[in-house]
Amino acid sequence: MNKPHLPDPAQLAVSADAQAMIERARAEGIETVWDRLKAQEPQCGYCQLGLSCRNCVMGPCRIDPFGDGPQKGVCGANADIIVARNLGRTIAAGASAHSDHGRDVLEVFAATAKGETTGYEIRDEAKLKALAKELGVAVDGRDKEAIACDLADAMLEDFGTRKQAISMLDRVPKARLELWQRIGIVPRGIDRENVEMLHRTHMGVDNDHINTVLHGLRTSLSDGWGGSLVATELSDVMFGTPRPVVSRANLGVLREDSVNIALHGHNPLLSDVIVQAAADSELLAMARERGAAGINLVGLCCTGNELQMRRGIPMAGNHLIQELILVTGALDAMVVDYQCIMPAITDVAKCFHTAVISTADKAKFPGATHISFDPHRGMEIGREIVRLGILAYENRVPSRVRLTGEPVEMMAGFSVEAILEALGGSPAPLVDAIAAGKIRGAVGVVGCNNPKIRQDYGHTLLTRRLIENDILVLVTGCAAVANGKAGQMMPQSADLAGEGLGGVCRALGIPPVLHMGSCVDNTRILVLAAALAKHLGVDISQLPLAGAAPEWYSEKAVSIGAYVVASGISTVLGVQPNIFGSPNVVKLLAQDLDGVVGARFAVEPDPEKSALWIRRHIESKRQALGLPAIDPDSIR
Ligand code: BF8
Ligand code: SF4
């Protein structure tokens, strides 16, 4: 199935490794995400505008955006109601994904505390105790397992319906918490907000688009300050709080002489055990007996981020690399957990020898070998998976292998704790540098790849423009991988930054683009922003900060954007969300929200213009704080 009508690979992806594999896929007739996007075009205009509804079988319904056809669904829902309901459900799906990941980590943490697991331990006792104190769990004179049992119980309560507020909101500046209280969006139980959103968006419940969108913010806050935060914090407790580590990125991390196993998905629970298993001497001997020099684990997407920042495991790539890594013919096994794993991978894998191994009972892939993850037998399962990878290596066809050159060095591991350590223990030096104008502000550049955008172009160009203009960039998820591959994440990348930011980075030995982890770790950005605001005695919305998701695609990204804005940080999206069928919802999110939560959304597909928008926004925040500022109107 050759697709000559697709553009040159250089127009589809920034990096040479991706381009080479797109070319090969095309030459061999292997279908990828870009072919399937093309086949879907033109995509449904009603859905793009958010104007279609299939919430009941009186429908499906759609609203005519031009005003000639129906303006109401069968039930009477207009464009505002339908768009708001669709947005609400999108947020709930994203928040649920993150929070369910958080709960999975929590359940393994609880079982570990009771001594019921193998392959897990409490590695960061200091963080365990700090969390316990935060949640009111007694610490003094108790062993870590007892503390962990009570902490797990307290955190499980956060998912339920009996509480009026989740537990970790003391981290939120007072002014912000009071604002949430005033407008009724303090997140209660995590499951409660998500279930309530599904209830509200059932036919005949919430028919006020403002009311629905506000509950969307509340739902997202239960993710950012709840489910995702649980995932981040407990992953740190069990697997270690990240510290700066130099690793490598791009498809060049695959090795011709070794068993190559990619770990793909989001949850570190299984992948961390696999890292331990891959060091097992028996398994290494088994690999050598079959002619391999060793076992080479590489990461993909956010499971890759989790492993890179804690274990320095090399990063093969981000979202749109997941099919292309198979096209190298050098991958022996792809182990998947859940989220962002394209169903297409089993089809691409069939063109090569690669074994796809699914591991989560809630995420099965027809065509894959399923090995059910059970933390009680964690180590045993980890070994079994590595063994399968070694057996698959025997099927590798050397003449089918195409490697793509050298990987790029990147630094990862900037947890809030590591950043504060680099600053000498307090946020003061960062605040001082911002106040003096050496650093103008900070921006979280986060989120996915989307085949509608040249892969990594949005992330890397926006990031470059921001650091050139002395804006510190914090990255997570696929945005982090994009910047790593582009060579913008080493301490020497300070040379790419403006004089002010570059100077600060050189003095501290850090890159101007800080890798803060996976997508659930956007909570680290929230926590850092909250700490800076508290240090200054202001609200988060007053700080010279912004968010950007230049290439986002997922429901999770919508939840992240919503909690970032609800927390007071304005956010620019590089891809248009499906809301433009309701000018009222657009006005609410892009304008009116500023008067309610002190932040808003913007949509700007061009990274150059997005950088200008952010710079103007940051300078106007500086002005309002009375800091030396460039006239925002002069930035163009
Ligand atoms: O959670 S950035 S494509 S891999 S959704 Fe997915 Fe998007 Fe990547 Fe990580 Ni996040
Ligand atoms: Fe149509 Fe209303 Fe049913 Fe939606 S909920 S499908 S708009 S009748």
Side-chain angles (χ1 to χ4, degrees), residues 281-613:
S281 55
E282 268 175 41
L283 288 168
L284 283 169
M286 179 182 167
R288 284 192 200 110
E289 274 162 28
R290 282 158 181 79
I295 300 166
N296 182 36
L297 298 181
V298 301
L300 278 170
C301 288
C302 284
T303 287
N305 283 321
E306 300 272 353
L307 295 173
Q308 187 179 43
M309 68 180 163
R310 294 202 182 86
R311 308 253 176 274
I313 297 291
M315 170 59 79
N318 42 3
H319 186 50
L320 294 184
I321 296 293
Q322 63 180 295
E323 292 177 290
L324 303 181
I325 192 174
L326 297 163
V327 177
T328 62
L331 188 65
D332 303 304
M334 179 183 279
V335 183
V336 301
D337 49 74
Y338 45 53
Q339 297 172 16
C340 301
I341 299 150
M342 289 187 196
I345 54 163
T346 45
D347 289 331
V348 181
K350 278 184 205 141
C351 304
F352 298 90
H353 72 292
T354 316
V356 178
I357 302 167
S358 58
T359 58
D361 288 350
K362 61 183 100 177
K364 292 199 174 175
F365 292 73
T369 304
H370 188 71
I371 298 185
S372 179
F373 169 61
D374 173 2
H376 302 96
R377 299 188 300 118
M379 209 49 191
E380 195 185 318
I381 290 170
R383 281 204 198 96
E384 190 181 341
I385 288 172
V386 174
R387 207 176 59 82
L388 280 185
I390 297 169
L391 292 177
Y393 167 81
E394 288 189 292
N395 301 329
R396 195 194 286 179
V397 183
S399 62
R400 295 279 286 145
V401 172
R402 298 268 191 293
L403 292 180
T404 57
E406 288 306 304
V408 177
E409 283 202 316
M410 66 183 286
M411 191 179 250
F414 286 93
S415 56
V416 174
E417 291 84 343
I419 291 175
L420 291 177
E421 223 164 79
L423 293 170
S426 131
L430 179 58
V431 170
D432 293 348
I434 292 174
K438 283 189 210 155
I439 299 178
R440 313 302 301 172
V443 176
V445 178
V446 307
C448 325
N449 290 145
N450 184 324
K452 294 177 179 175
I453 293 182
R454 184 179 170 210
Q455 190 195 8
D456 299 340
Y457 175 73
H459 296 307
T460 53
L461 185 57
L462 174 63
T463 300
R464 178 66 78 91
R465 291 293 176 262
L466 295 176
I467 62 174
E468 282 169 357
N469 287 285
D470 294 323
I471 294 169
L472 177 68
V473 174
L474 312 170
V475 288
T476 59
C478 291
V481 184
N483 277 296
K485 287 189 286 176
Q488 303 192 142
M489 293 180 65
M490 286 296 284
Q492 53 269 32
S493 318
D495 293 345
L496 304 173
E499 231 170 79
L501 174 64
V504 173
C505 291
R506 275 186 284 270
L508 297 171
I510 60 171
V513 183
L514 300 181
H515 193 324
M516 294 191 75
S518 64
C519 278
V520 292
D521 294 333
N522 282 310
T523 57
R524 299 190 202 272
I525 300 180
L526 280 189
V527 168
L528 182 63
L532 291 177
K534 280 185 163 181
H535 183 85
L536 284 165
V538 298
D539 193 358
I540 297 173
S541 58
Q542 293 173 267
L543 297 172
L545 303 176
E551 304 180 30
W552 73 279
Y553 93 88
S554 78
E555 291 166 313
K556 292 180 289 171
V558 182
S559 178
I560 293 166
Y563 73 61
V564 167
V565 168
S567 297
I569 303 172
S570 287
T571 295
V572 196
L573 306 175
V575 183
Q576 189 169 306
N578 302 335
I579 59 168
F580 280 74
S582 166
N584 285 329
V585 170
V586 172
K587 182 169 169 292
L588 174 62
L589 294 172
Q591 287 179 30
D592 301 347
L593 221 44
D594 209 12
V596 183
V597 296
R600 63 191 180 95
F601 283 100
V603 176
E604 179 48 72
D606 179 349
E608 296 281 9
K609 289 187 186 153
S610 174
L612 295 175
W613 190 96

